[in-house]
Each structure stands twice: as structure tokens, then as C-alpha cells.
Amino acid sequence: MDLIYAIDTMWVLIAAAFVFFMQAGFAIVEAGFTRAKNAGNIIMKNLMDFSVGSLIYWTVGFGIMFGKDIGGFIGRIDLFTQGNYDFLELNIPVSAFLIFQTVFCATAATIVSGAMAERTKFKSYLIYSFFICLVIYPIAGHWIWGGGWLSELGFHDFAGSTAVHSLGGWAALVGAAVLGPRIGKYDKNGKPQAIPGHSLTLGALGVFILWFGWFGFNPGSTLSGTDFESISHIFMTTNLSAAACAVTTMILTWVRYGKPDVSMTLNGALGGLVAITAGCDVVGFGGAALIGMIASFVLIFGIEFVDKILKIDDPVGAIGVHGICGAFGTLAVGIFALEGGLLFGGGLALTFIQGIGVVSIAAWTLSTSFILFKGIDIIVGLRVSEEEETNGLDVHEHGIESYADFAPRVLAIK
């Protein structure tokens, strides 16, 4: 028993380190997909949302998420996580569970950074990071994983397609909408204009780091290093979905745009990873590949809808990758689950429950995020000035030039 306890603990801690490393992936994906004049600001945002989030989640958020249930809505507040959590029946120390959940919380928080890149005040982003880790994420997490009403309903979101990714994606949607598009993103007729990032190489490296980290994100959610069958199965479903989505996205963009689009294909890998996260433990290998393939269509048309129809400027595609693919992946559990899925004789019951979960988390996040971002905008301002945006946030927000030894190529944006 002691050996199993030790193995389970080490596995969860190693998986937590994998997920923490994803923070580096998010940082350089965002930096690569945006302009060099904002790289330092992006690094600071991704560093500080994790740092601020770690402190506030330990202080208050964990108790709200995993404390004893109050009415199915919220956990009992436990300042500085000092209470007794025996009722969770963990086979690992509470501190191991706490750090694992902390890195998940940070993932939800940092998704928003990319959608609001290149025009957000740094202090305003810090305020947002504080409140999403204090209230928005922990309450939604309690509904799903902490014994709240969705978990009682039978909602299945194994590692967070909805709890982490859709929540972050919906918050990103609201934040980017309230903030408005970057200067030059839309012409006088409202047609979107491409604003190229400064390094596809960095973006690609970030995607590989995120793919690597997902092997801690999903398999680590077993919370057991001795459940070899489940861990191995989840490794495979996670990889198959990512690969299928990347390949399908390459083909689709080749057909639609005449060339295989690099940045969209990179996002395709991430979209497949997000989509499989909810059901990675309950779908088969074929189901995982199909989820990835369908997620490609969801991703491409979702990003185009946000960009061209809603006219919301999302520099890295975070809303499509996390919000829309996360919602699809959660619904896909009701279709592809080997037990209870529609394609395996389970009827529509599970799909209906999954739909309730997707809609309820979307409604919660959209409403609370709107209040948060509008409040920040009214009180301290959300967006930098036109001069600051034009010159770059590195200079005005941090007093640095991230690429001081390089002469930037300035493109006139019509």
C-alpha cells in the first residue's frame, strides 16, 4: 500500500511538472504568432498569470473548488488550504493534488492572454488573472469536479475540455470583444486583414511543448501512477486526436486556401488535443481519431466565424482552439463514449447531459467575464492608447525592447 501511495504521488507530481511546462508553450505560441514589439509584454503576462494564480488559488480558489459542497454550487471556503480533505478520498497527499490543480487553473487563466494580445494594459490583465483564479474558474470547477450539481448529473469532463479550455475560451471571447480589434485588423469595409506574427518557428516550438505537456495533462488526471491500462490508453487517444486534427487541418487549408497553412495546422494540433481532453478515458482509438478529424472542421470554421462574422480580433485563434473545440469535444463524449455513447447503443441521454454542461459553463463564464472586463474597463481602463499600441507594449508598459539588437521591418497597415 505504501508503494502504491508513493508511485501515485510521484506520477501526479511529474504530471504537474508536465502541465507547468505548458505555460512555456502558451507563452511562445503567443509571442511567435504576434509582433516582436510586444514579445516582452507577452512573456510577462504568461509569467504573472501563473504566479498570481498560484497564490490566489492556494489562498482561496482551491477551497471554493474542492471544499465541502454547499448546495451544489460552491465549495466551503478554506483560507490557505488548511482544512481536512479526507472526504475527497485521495490516494495522494493533498499538497500533491493542490499543485496539480494549480497548474490546471493557470492553464485556464493564460488562454485569455493570446486573444487579448497586443493591446491590453498590463495592470488590467493582472486584475483579470486575480479574479478568474479567485472565483470564475473555481466555481465552474466545483460544479464539474468538486461534487457540484453537474457532477451529480453525470456530466463527464475527464481532464477539462470544458472545465479548463472552454472556460478559458469563453473568457477570451468576452475579453477580446470588450477590448476591440487591433489597429489595422479590419479595413474601412470591415474586411479582416492579416497581421503576421514575427516567428512561426517560436509558434511551432510552443505547439510541440504543449503537445508534450498534454501527456501530463490528460494521463495525469487519473491521479494514479499504478493504473497502467488507463494511462496507456489515454496517451494513445490524446496523441491520435492531435495527429488526426493536424493532418485534416493541413488538407482542409490546402483545399480552401490553395496552400497548406502553417499557423492553422499548428492550431489544428492544439484543437485536437483540446477536443479529446474530455473523453480521452472513455473513447476508443478510432473514436479519438474521428474526434480529431471533426475538430479540424470545427476549428477552421469556428476561427473564420469569430474573425469574419463576429469581427472579434483573436491574434492566436484561442477562442476557436479552446472555446469552440473544447465545447465540441465535450459533446463528442456523448457520441463516442464506449459505454453510454450514442454510437454504442447508449441513446441520447449522455449527449443531453454533456450539452447541459457545455451550455451552463458557457453561460457562467460569458456573464461573469463580461462583468469583470467591463468593470476593469470602467475603473482602470482595459486598453492601451493608440500611441502605445502602435509603438509596442514592450516600450510603453515595460521600458524594454525585446529585440534591441535587431532592426524591425515596419509594415504600413492600410
Side-chain angles (χ1 to χ4, degrees):
M1 188 66 177
D2 289 342
L3 179 60
I4 293 175
Y5 183 82
I7 293 172
D8 288 350
T9 300
M10 288 307 300
W11 166 240
V12 171
L13 293 175
I14 291 169
F18 272 53
V19 180
F20 168 73
F21 192 43
M22 291 173 71
Q23 199 76 11
F26 281 114
I28 59 177
V29 164
E30 183 182 346
F33 282 5
T34 53
R35 289 167 290 185
K37 63 184 180 180
N38 300 307
N41 173 259
I42 287 165
I43 297 304
M44 276 293 284
K45 287 193 301 176
N46 282 271
L47 172 66
M48 295 315 299
D49 60 26
F50 181 83
S51 300
V52 170
S54 293
L55 292 172
I56 195 60
Y57 190 73
W58 162 63
T59 304
V60 179
F62 182 81
I64 290 175
M65 189 161 170
F66 290 103
K68 289 187 177 179
D69 179 59
I70 301 174
F73 180 76
I74 192 172
R76 185 171 298 166
I77 293 175
D78 174 28
L79 291 178
F80 303 105
T81 315
Q82 301 182 81
N84 187 312
Y85 289 88
D86 288 347
F87 62 90
L88 294 177
E89 298 181 350
L90 299 170
N91 192 42
I92 56 175
V94 172
S95 55
F97 187 60
L98 172 58
I99 188 59
F100 188 71
Q101 293 301 329
T102 297
V103 293
F104 270 54
C105 178
T107 298
T110 204
I111 288 167
V112 178
S113 176
M116 299 178 66
E118 302 200 293
R119 72 258 200 222
T120 306
K121 288 183 178 179
F122 181 63
K123 64 181 177 182
S124 300
Y125 184 78
L126 292 179
I127 296 170
Y128 145 77
S129 299
F130 178 90
F131 281 103
I132 193 173
C133 297
L134 174 71
V135 178
I136 298 175
Y137 173 77
I139 288 180
H142 180 78
W143 296 356
I144 297 170
W145 292 331
W149 68 275
L150 278 177
S151 64
E152 291 295 317
L153 198 62
F155 179 70
H156 187 90
D157 186 9
F158 183 72
S161 285
T162 286
V164 177
H165 295 282
S166 266
L167 183 143
W170 301 141
L173 175 69
V174 174
V178 173
L179 192 59
R182 290 168 292 173
I183 296 169
K185 174 60 183 176
Y186 295 97
D187 65 18
K188 62 182 180 180
N189 298 316
K191 183 179 179 181
Q193 306 296 303
I195 302 179
H198 82 280
S199 176
L200 273 176
T201 306
L202 275 181
L205 177 59
V207 168
F208 280 116
I209 290 174
L210 288 168
W211 197 330
F212 174 82
W214 237 284
F215 292 130
F217 201 98
N218 287 358
S221 293
T222 59
L223 302 180
S224 171
T226 52
D227 189 356
F228 307 121
E229 288 291 335
S230 292
I231 291 172
S232 302
H233 181 86
I234 293 168
F235 259 87
M236 274 299 299
T237 55
T238 298
N239 192 63
L240 286 170
S241 181
C245 194
V247 170
T248 307
T249 302
M250 178 194 68
I251 295 170
L252 283 176
T253 58
W254 209 331
V255 172
R256 283 179 63 79
Y257 310 142
K259 300 285 185 181
D261 187 278
V262 179
S263 61
M264 190 71 83
T265 303
L266 290 169
N267 267 337
L270 299 182
L273 290 163
V274 169
I276 197 59
T277 296
C280 56
D281 62 323
V282 294
V283 303
F285 295 164
L290 284 171
I291 287 172
M293 291 173 64
I294 299 169
S296 174
F297 290 85
V298 172
L299 172 74
I300 292 172
F301 292 105
I303 287 176
E304 290 184 358
F305 177 78
V306 169
D307 191 38
K308 298 178 180 179
I309 306 300
L310 298 182
K311 298 192 185 305
I312 294 175
D313 181 15
D314 177 2
V316 303
I319 300 165
V321 169
H322 299 279
I324 300 174
C325 284
F328 160 71
T330 306
L331 292 171
V333 173
I335 300 170
F336 293 100
L338 295 174
E339 294 184 15
L342 177 63
L343 296 181
F344 296 89
L348 289 169
L350 181 57
T351 306
F352 181 70
I353 292 171
Q354 296 298 103
I356 292 173
V358 167
V359 172
S360 62
I361 297 300
W364 163 255
T365 309
L366 291 170
S367 58
T368 53
S369 296
F370 181 78
I371 294 169
L372 174 59
F373 284 120
K374 288 298 288 186
I376 294 172
D377 194 31
I378 292 168
I379 296 169
V380 299
L382 193 59
R383 184 166 184 147
V384 298
S385 70
E386 183 174 339
E387 179 187 2
E388 290 170 329
E389 182 178 346
T390 301
N391 293 336
L393 303 188
D394 287 3
V395 172
H396 287 278
E397 291 276 282
H398 308 285
I400 63 167
E401 291 185 30
S402 296
Y403 293 89
D405 292 337
F406 293 83
R409 181 167 62 110
V410 179
L411 296 177
I413 300 175
K414 298 180 181 179

